Amino acid sequence: PELYKFEHDLPYDPAVIEARYANVIRSFVEANLATRPVYVTQEIEPQYLGGFQRVPSGLAFRLYADTLHHDAPDVSFNFRIPPERDKYVDGILAQYAQAYVNNALYARLAGHQDRAKKYVDEALRVKSDYDEAIFLRNSLDSTSP
């Protein structure tokens, strides 16, 4: 009912829509996690995944119901950047750069500084002005022995 109101420009309660959306996401994860790997992409914000650990896996995250360390698969994307760029190409490149940063952050948490630096360098190769990657690279450089 609240979604109908939202879609028809009627007064609605956004908290009800948000709660129901969160419940749908959780129901998908909980219904499948015991029998198969479950993956989410970056569009599914962590607030909807409370109690699940997100481990980078390619352009997505694999979910786990525990707090153990899970090795992330090594990531190396092979793609060609077209000579003519537009907002769609830039958006796709940003997803690849973010995936590299996600892997760098996870590697850093596991104490693998060299692996983290490798992923940050890849993110910057894809998107040289990516602020999050630049910040992370500077942080990694300042903590190196």
Side-chain angles (χ1 to χ4, degrees):
E2 293 303 305
L3 188 57
Y4 175 88
K5 292 176 194 175
F6 169 76
E7 291 172 343
H8 292 86
D9 294 323
L10 300 170
Y12 66 94
D13 185 350
V16 171
I17 295 173
E18 181 74 12
R20 290 184 178 159
Y21 178 74
N23 287 339
V24 165
I25 298 297
R26 286 197 72 77
S27 73
F28 291 155
V29 173
E30 290 170 352
N32 290 285
L33 196 59
T35 58
R36 68 194 73 183
V38 174
Y39 296 86
V40 295
T41 55
Q42 296 178 119
E43 295 85 351
I44 306 298
E45 290 103 357
Q47 72 216 36
Y48 300 117
L49 303 171
F52 299 105
Q53 179 183 186
R54 298 179 344 150
V55 176
S57 182
L59 291 169
F61 294 95
R62 182 169 176 186
L63 299 181
Y64 292 92
D66 59 37
T67 57
L68 303 173
H69 174 77
H70 297 272
D71 289 331
D74 192 29
V75 174
S76 179
F77 300 116
N78 185 13
F79 56 89
R80 179 185 58 81
I81 299 173
E84 294 195 27
R85 308 253 306 252
D86 59 22
K87 66 181 181 179
Y88 300 109
V89 170
D90 289 341
I92 291 168
L93 292 176
Q95 288 183 345
Y96 281 107
Q98 184 61 53
Y100 277 127
V101 166
N102 293 338
N103 279 275
L105 290 168
Y106 194 73
R108 183 181 190 192
L109 284 174
H112 303 296
Q113 299 291 84
D114 290 340
R115 189 174 187 185
K117 286 180 183 179
K118 177 186 92 164
Y119 287 136
V120 169
D121 289 345
E122 288 297 318
L124 291 170
R125 183 182 61 78
V126 173
K127 190 171 177 358
S128 62
D129 62 344
Y130 193 28
D131 289 338
E132 188 176 354
I134 293 167
F135 178 81
L136 183 53
R137 180 63 186 180
N138 291 336
S139 175
L140 289 164
D141 287 343
S142 69
T143 59
S144 293

